[in-house]
Amino acid sequence: MTSRPRRTTARSIADDLRSQIRDGSLAPGEALPTSRELAERYGVTYKTVGAGIDVLKGEGLVVGEQGGRRRVRSDRAIVWNLTAFERGQRRDSPSGDDWSTAIRDAGRDPVQHVTVTSDHADDKIARWLGIEPGAPVVQRVRLRTVDGEPYQLATSTFPLDVAEGSPLMEERDVSMPGGILASIGHPQVRVRDEITIRMPRPEESEALKLPPGTPVAEHVRIGFGESRVVRVMVTIAPGDRHKLVYEMEV
């Protein structure tokens, strides 16, 4: 009995191209063959080729460009050492905060775009800060870019009496040696981190220009002063652009 040849499907096209991406045959940033070339190679229709490419887009391996060309994802991940971040001898200076300094030390170009708003604490923020829901707070939202591309969305929330009248109210990338909180008399003495891996919300995908299928890490850092919580910072970090590092003694 003669076996029938295996039919090429969108899934098998995706499997083949995925293997080429993983073994480096298709390098980061390299353009995929055109739909015509792939249709001829696999003996299928353009529609089947498109469905196979959509599988890879959904996995975050391939991105589309204006004009219809598709390329292998080429984002360069940053190493974010959360043990060293904001700890001990902070590296803040008038030219940049601790985060910007670490990015610059890695030979990259950091920029932070800042907006400041006055708001009222929702239930989650109130629980983190240890205040009543609806209490007045100040939020500093920073879109952090590296080499011109969005890498993090960081929202720091402060009780109103901590931020009011301080540089935290300034809508610009402001930093001070030792950190702003310490300089205004509210130093953090310890922090608690909470990390959740999840899919992004629509507004996060838009702000961070996330391709479909890209998960994010939600990093919550709660900063404790001597007698109360003085800040909570929620950072949304795309999974394809970060390596999170912790170091601890055991």
Side-chain angles (χ1 to χ4, degrees):
M1 181 177 178
T2 303
S3 62
R4 299 178 61 183
R6 182 180 178 184
R7 184 168 65 92
T8 301
T9 64
R11 175 63 62 179
S12 61
I13 292 172
D15 291 343
D16 187 40
L17 293 175
R18 186 188 305 106
S19 294
Q20 295 179 52
I21 292 171
R22 288 177 174 172
D23 69 18
S25 300
L26 286 170
E30 182 177 348
L32 269 62
T34 65
S35 294
R36 173 178 292 181
E37 292 169 338
L38 291 172
E40 292 176 353
R41 177 187 301 178
Y42 295 109
V44 297
T45 65
Y46 287 5
K47 183 178 180 179
T48 301
V49 167
I53 297 298
D54 285 344
V55 171
L56 299 179
K57 286 183 177 179
E59 295 174 357
L61 294 175
V62 169
V63 294
E65 295 182 340
Q66 290 185 346
R69 204 67 195 264
R70 286 76 59 108
R71 294 184 181 274
V72 179
R73 288 284 295 276
S74 60
D75 295 309
R76 293 170 56 202
I78 60 172
V79 176
W80 194 20
N81 190 321
L82 292 165
T83 311
F85 179 51
E86 301 186 316
R87 182 177 179 181
Q89 297 298 315
R90 293 176 55 121
R91 294 172 294 172
D92 306 71
S93 70
S95 63
D97 63 9
D98 194 60
W99 181 85
S100 295
T101 301
I103 298 300
R104 198 173 289 114
D105 286 349
R108 312 286 292 274
D109 180 29
V111 176
Q112 300 193 73
H113 307 272
V114 182
T115 57
V116 179
T117 59
S118 297
D119 206 342
H120 294 87
D122 60 22
D123 290 345
K124 182 180 288 187
I125 291 294
R127 185 176 72 253
W128 282 329
L129 288 177
I131 59 179
E132 291 294 322
V137 293
V138 171
Q139 290 191 325
R140 287 178 61 84
V141 180
R142 286 169 289 177
L143 177 62
R144 292 169 167 166
T145 67
V146 178
D147 302 330
E149 296 296 326
Y151 266 63
Q152 292 183 356
L153 188 62
T155 302
S156 293
T157 305
F158 310 86
L160 178 61
D161 66 298
V162 170
E164 194 171 31
S166 79
L168 293 171
M169 302 295 294
E170 298 179 20
E171 203 161 65
R172 64 186 180 89
D173 184 10
V174 58
S175 60
M176 297 180 177
I180 297 176
L181 283 169
S183 71
I184 63 175
H186 296 283
Q188 299 177 106
V189 298
R190 65 184 178 93
V191 298
R192 170 186 168 87
D193 283 359
E194 300 175 4
I195 299 176
T196 303
I197 307 301
R198 59 173 174 81
M199 296 308 294
R201 302 184 179 101
E203 63 272 18
E204 295 165 348
S205 291
E206 181 178 0
L208 293 167
K209 299 181 181 178
L210 302 180
T214 306
V216 297
E218 179 185 271
H219 173 257
V220 178
R221 174 158 286 187
I222 302 167
F224 295 84
E226 293 183 355
S227 60
R228 60 168 173 161
V229 177
V230 294
R231 181 200 69 173
V232 59
M233 178 169 61
V234 180
T235 303
I236 307 302
D240 61 326
R241 303 170 203 176
H242 290 79
K243 177 185 288 188
L244 306 184
V245 175
Y246 278 93
E247 300 176 9
M248 59 193 72
E249 296 181 358
V250 296

